[in-house]
């Protein structure tokens, strides 16, 4: 009976091993499947952001238009890498975890078989013990019960060895082989490649935003508000200068342009009052119309 109890303890230990794997691998599978789906949805939202940026760029002044378009292009590149990220996540991470469930189910079936055979052994031993107590002189019945108990013990020993081999193979596969180590190794590799590519592209996008010529666009806007041709001399001169005094040059040119405009208005007098309308609109609804 001590052998039976010892064997039952080993079976319970193996059953716990498989139960833990079933519990946590099921959770891993569900979480990583959700992770992959949400990654795909995030990519779709980023695609919408790219489209919105392009639409916005088409309404803006030259410098901002070019900057926003470059930013949108970089974000689109990141989302292209995102597509290459989601497909392998599904193929190399989620799908193998789903397949792992089949092995868990098979190992559970082996455990149930072993427990069924073990229960039969216990019943045969209990029957033999009762016969010995009730009919100690009935040697034929006792001998027959001993034979049944012996066969049940042999079956249990054989089934237990098979189960131990199956659980050992299961554990080895879980810890060392591709079904476990490869899954998370692939997961980390996929994420590393994506984020490395994303950092490279985002670094370029950051530099693009840093280099945005705000003063150039502001000058272009002011020229348009004053009715001056945006292709005048002020912007090329400002952009040709790479010195630290470039903003002061632009400010000087802006002041000269303003002074010339004021002199022209003084010379014209009040003969054409419609010329003043754009200046009034800067504080009201006319701003949106002029832009």
């Amino acid at each position: 009976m001590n052998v039976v109890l010892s064997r039952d303890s080993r079976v319970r230990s193996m059953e716990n091993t498989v139960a833990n794997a079933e519990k946590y691998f099921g959770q891993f599978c569900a979480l990583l499947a959700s992770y992959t789906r949400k990654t795909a949805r995030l990519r779709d939202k980023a695609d919408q952001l790219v489209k919105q940026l392009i639409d916005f760029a088409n309404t803006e002044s030259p410098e901002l238009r070019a900057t926003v378009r470059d930013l949108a292009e970089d974000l689109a590149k990141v989302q292209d890498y995102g597509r290459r990220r989601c497909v392998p996540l599904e193929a190399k991470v989620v799908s193998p975890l789903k397949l792992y469930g089949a092995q868990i189910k098979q190992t559970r079936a082996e455990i149930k078989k072993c427990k069924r055979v073990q229960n039969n052994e216990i019943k045969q031993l209990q029957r033999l013990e009762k016969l010995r107590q009730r009919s100690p002189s009935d040697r034929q019945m006792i001998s027959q019960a001993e034979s049944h108990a012996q066969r049940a013990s042999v079956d249990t020993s054989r089934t237990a060895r098979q189960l131990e081999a199956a659980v050992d193979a299961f554990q080895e596969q879980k810890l060392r082989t591709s079904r476990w180590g490869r899954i998370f190794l692939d997961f980390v590799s996929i994420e590393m490649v994506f984020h490395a590519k994303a950092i490279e592209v985002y670094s370029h996008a950051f530099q693009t935003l840093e280099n945005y010529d705000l003063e150039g666009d502001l000058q272009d806007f002011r020229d348009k508000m004053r009715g001056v041709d945006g292709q005048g001399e002020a912007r090329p001169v400002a952009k040709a200068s790479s010195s630290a005094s470039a903003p002061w040059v632009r400010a000087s040119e802006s002041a000269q342009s303003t002074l010339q405009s004021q002199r022209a208005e003084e010379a014209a007098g009040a003969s054409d009052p419609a010329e003043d309308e754009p200046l009034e609109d800067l504080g009201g609804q006319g701003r949106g119309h002029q832009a």
Side-chain angles (χ1 to χ4, degrees):
M1 202 57 150
N2 290 335
V3 174
V4 175
L5 294 175
S6 175
R7 191 184 295 133
D8 181 63
S9 177
R10 293 201 303 272
V11 171
R12 284 200 303 270
S13 177
M14 290 184 283
E15 187 175 24
N16 288 337
T17 297
V18 176
N20 285 337
E22 184 177 33
K23 173 185 175 181
Y24 289 108
F25 275 65
Q27 292 175 348
F28 288 146
C29 185
L31 287 171
L32 287 169
S34 176
Y35 181 95
T36 302
R37 288 194 302 270
K38 290 183 179 181
T39 298
R41 286 200 293 269
L42 179 61
R43 183 202 65 204
D44 293 340
K45 290 296 182 183
D47 285 339
Q48 294 178 19
L49 175 60
V50 169
K51 183 179 181 301
Q52 197 71 30
L53 285 170
I54 293 173
D55 290 344
F56 170 70
N58 292 334
T59 68
E60 287 299 321
S61 47
E63 291 295 338
L64 184 57
R65 183 185 308 126
T67 298
V68 174
R69 283 180 176 175
D70 286 346
L71 173 62
E73 182 179 347
D74 284 337
L75 292 181
K77 287 180 183 178
V78 173
Q79 302 325 306
D80 183 52
Y81 293 133
R83 292 183 185 90
R84 302 177 200 177
R85 173 193 189 191
C86 291
V87 173
L89 280 175
E90 178 65 34
K92 294 185 177 182
V93 177
V94 178
S95 294
L97 279 171
K98 290 178 181 178
L99 294 176
Y100 202 82
Q103 187 178 4
I104 291 176
K105 186 179 292 186
Q106 182 180 352
T107 309
R108 270 198 169 281
E110 293 286 340
I111 292 174
K112 287 182 180 179
K113 177 182 176 182
C114 184
K115 291 176 74 174
R116 185 172 61 250
V117 173
Q118 190 177 43
N119 288 336
N120 180 57
E121 180 190 17
I122 293 172
K123 287 180 181 179
Q124 294 299 330
L125 290 172
Q126 289 174 343
R127 183 170 178 269
L128 175 60
E129 187 63 26
K130 287 180 180 179
L131 280 173
R132 285 173 176 171
Q133 291 176 359
R134 293 178 181 177
S135 307
S137 60
D138 192 346
R139 298 305 305 166
Q140 184 178 357
M141 290 294 294
I142 291 174
S143 178
Q144 188 179 14
E146 286 175 345
S147 178
H148 288 323
Q150 183 65 26
R151 284 199 300 269
S153 179
V154 171
D155 288 344
T156 302
S157 297
R158 184 181 64 253
T159 306
R161 286 194 299 269
Q162 292 174 350
L163 177 60
E164 287 176 4
V167 173
D168 183 84
F170 173 87
Q171 186 73 355
E172 181 177 0
Q173 188 174 28
K174 185 185 78 172
L175 297 177
R176 300 179 59 182
T177 62
S178 60
R179 281 283 179 87
W180 168 252
R182 194 75 221 172
I183 287 173
F184 282 89
L185 186 62
D186 285 339
F187 172 75
V188 173
S189 297
I190 292 166
E191 293 297 278
M192 283 175 61
V193 170
F194 168 74
H195 287 290
K197 292 287 188 181
I199 287 174
E200 180 181 343
V201 177
Y202 281 133
S203 296
H204 181 268
F206 181 86
Q207 196 60 48
T208 297
L209 295 173
E210 281 282 290
N211 293 336
Y212 166 55
D213 185 5
L214 182 149
E215 292 296 333
D217 264 348
L218 190 56
Q219 183 63 48
D220 182 81
F221 174 78
R222 288 168 176 169
D223 288 346
K224 287 179 179 179
M225 290 298 99
R226 295 185 179 91
V228 178
D229 184 1
Q231 302 298 321
E233 296 298 326
R235 291 199 63 196
V237 172
K239 298 191 85 173
S241 175
S242 60
S243 66
S245 62
W248 299 105
V249 174
R250 294 193 191 96
S252 175
E253 290 170 351
S254 176
Q256 292 176 8
S257 176
T258 303
L259 183 59
Q260 291 173 359
S261 177
Q262 290 174 348
R263 288 174 178 173
E265 290 173 358
E266 290 173 359
S271 60
D272 190 3
E275 290 293 322
D276 291 335
E277 290 181 4
L279 294 177
E280 295 174 1
D281 286 340
L282 290 177
Q285 296 179 351
R287 177 184 300 152
H289 177 74
Q290 290 295 329

